[in-house]
Amino acid sequence: MHRRHPEIDPQLLSETDEQRQLRTVLRDLYAEASGVEEVRKHLATPRGYDEALWARLAGEIGVHGLAIPEEYGGSGFTFAELAVALEESGRALYCAPLLPTVVLAAHALLLSGDRAACERYLPRIADGTLTATVAGFGPDDRPGGRDESHELAVTAEEGSNGWVLRGRADFVLDGAGADLLLVRAGTPAGPRLFACEPASATSRRTPRRVLDETRRQALVEFLGAPATAVGTAEEAEGTVSATLDAGRAALAAEQVGGSGHALDATVAFVAQRHQFGRPIGSFQAVKHRLADVLVALEAARSGAAYATACAAIASPQLPVAACVAAVVCSETFRLATAEYVQLHGGIGFTWEHPAHLYVRRARGAEVLFGTADQHRTRLAGLAGLAARPAA
């Protein structure tokens, strides 16, 4: 059972001068190079994002390597700095695969403790030349995790030429375009992690049509794909669980950024939109609705900040913090985007308005690493109120 009063230094919950400077630089860059029209334009390209901006983020600002140790080509900062970058990317609806590459894949490699794999892949993640993702990491009741027989949907077989993967993982983030897949697969000795650089002859990747087109997903089928074992079998499940918690903390930061944009854009609109000779923002009913969003956003900021602090220091409280942040930030993002549409009136419902893109991002994000009910069930288990926490 977890401590009732977790020991987290309150200073970890406050933004440092360096983090504020990073936020300013990123917000200016996204305003310049990744507005809504740019996002729409790049959604139609094969990779779905601005590859030149991806290279700038890695090369000029070093976003990709913020939480990667210097020995592996990164900057040696912490998850706290990475969370600032993720919040600003969520605010701008940046559609490149930062979450699967820089958070999920990079943390899976680091948490595995496999130095050879880290030395091979992390420097290329840090410099922006390698995109990566994870497959088969989903909870048991999600596609790509386990099938109805509770067996892992991807299995690994060891032959004379090494390991090969067979099976399928569905709704893999950036699964159709990633250069590297880190796969949880079943073996006779139990689940284990594998690194696979997919080739068309042994891996079939089919893009899925999803609600949020800014976050691409795919069905990945392994047809005897060559793979390399990463880490040990004993540590595999712990690595997967910790990676997913880091992903939940990262996603919470994104959701805070998106909620902040929705609130700011709506406040600006109701201040300049007039009805009956006065700004509609002066009406009490509108004020109350926006106040509700602000209160929810402050709660989401607190939840995300706590999860970020836990991830930054590898606190044992991270599972609890990540689940709390997932619930609070998902509900806040959904509320903020709903009001974004409603308080913009008729134009908020149109395809041309950016509000619907944020609505889609909010709806997709709230089920990405499990639903709110699943997180609450896991929290009950972690608090000793249920027989067993969810995976």
Side-chain angles (χ1 to χ4, degrees):
M1 184 172 176
H2 290 265
R3 298 172 66 93
R4 189 173 184 85
H5 301 289
E7 297 176 355
I8 292 290
D9 186 344
Q11 289 188 343
L12 294 175
L13 304 177
S14 301
E15 200 167 70
T16 66
D17 289 338
E18 285 184 330
Q19 290 166 3
R20 277 191 288 272
Q21 291 170 12
L22 175 62
R23 183 183 303 281
T24 299
V25 169
L26 286 170
R27 188 168 298 188
D28 290 345
L29 178 60
Y30 283 132
E32 168 202 334
S34 189
V36 173
E37 292 309 311
E38 285 77 13
V39 169
R40 292 181 192 274
K41 179 178 70 175
H42 290 290
L43 286 178
T45 64
R47 282 299 275 127
Y49 63 91
D50 185 349
E51 295 182 70
L53 180 56
W54 174 265
R56 288 184 65 187
L57 286 171
E60 295 179 16
I61 305 176
V63 167
H64 301 60
L66 283 171
I68 294 177
E70 291 180 285
E71 63 181 308
Y72 299 129
S75 304
F77 288 102
T78 71
F79 191 89
E81 285 71 32
L82 180 57
V84 171
L86 291 163
E87 183 179 337
E88 290 306 310
S89 72
R91 183 181 183 89
L93 211 71
Y94 183 50
C95 51
L98 276 176
L99 180 63
T101 298
V102 179
V103 179
L104 298 177
H107 279 77
L109 288 167
L110 288 168
L111 291 165
S112 73
D114 191 321
R115 290 189 60 86
C118 289
E119 289 172 353
R120 181 175 182 181
Y121 297 118
L122 287 178
R124 289 191 284 157
I125 288 177
D127 67 17
T129 58
L130 180 77
T131 57
T133 190
V134 299
F137 276 40
D140 292 355
D141 54 354
R142 284 207 55 199
R146 299 175 189 263
D147 59 23
E148 293 180 357
S149 65
H150 301 288
E151 296 294 329
L152 285 173
V154 180
T155 58
E157 304 169 0
E158 189 172 19
S160 57
N161 295 323
W163 292 95
V164 295
L165 301 178
R166 300 188 187 279
R168 51 188 276 159
D170 210 347
F171 297 102
V172 176
L173 294 175
D174 197 37
D179 305 312
L180 171 69
L181 303 175
L182 292 170
V183 186
R184 177 174 64 164
T187 72
R192 193 164 182 183
L193 295 185
F194 294 88
C196 174
E197 298 181 48
S200 58
T202 56
S203 301
R204 183 184 301 125
R205 303 194 278 178
T206 307
R208 287 299 199 190
R209 185 178 182 184
V210 291
L211 180 65
D212 178 15
E213 295 178 346
T214 68
R215 201 185 312 268
R216 293 189 175 187
Q217 301 179 47
L219 166 66
V220 180
E221 298 172 276
F222 299 100
L223 313 172
T228 304
V230 175
T232 63
E234 294 77 16
E235 299 294 330
E237 291 297 81
T239 297
V240 168
S241 181
T243 299
L244 288 175
D245 282 332
R248 292 176 182 115
L251 185 62
E254 268 196 14
Q255 291 169 319
V256 167
S259 300
H261 164 82
L263 178 59
D264 290 349
T266 306
V267 169
F269 177 78
V270 300
Q272 60 88 25
R273 176 77 169 93
H274 282 66
Q275 192 68 268
F276 305 110
R278 55 191 286 198
I280 63 173
S282 65
F283 296 122
Q284 190 175 45
V286 174
K287 290 180 180 179
H288 285 175
R289 291 170 68 167
L290 290 175
D292 288 342
V293 175
L294 178 60
V295 171
L297 178 56
E298 290 305 308
R301 288 190 194 282
S302 297
Y306 179 52
T308 292
C310 288
I313 63 172
S315 168
Q317 287 289 324
L318 178 59
V320 171
C323 284
V324 170
V327 173
V328 175
C329 296
S330 292
E331 293 180 348
T332 296
F333 199 12
R334 184 169 185 167
L335 171 65
T337 53
E339 296 293 18
Y340 191 9
V341 171
Q342 293 292 329
L343 293 179
H344 272 78
I347 64 170
F349 288 89
T350 62
W351 179 263
E352 291 77 11
H353 197 274
H356 81 93
L357 292 174
Y358 284 86
V359 170
R360 289 166 179 260
R361 172 64 70 89
R363 295 299 178 88
E366 68 180 331
V367 298
L368 195 56
F369 298 122
T371 65
D373 285 345
Q374 289 169 332
H375 295 314
R376 290 187 176 99
T377 299
R378 186 180 184 220
L379 277 171
L382 292 168
L385 301 178
R388 181 178 63 88

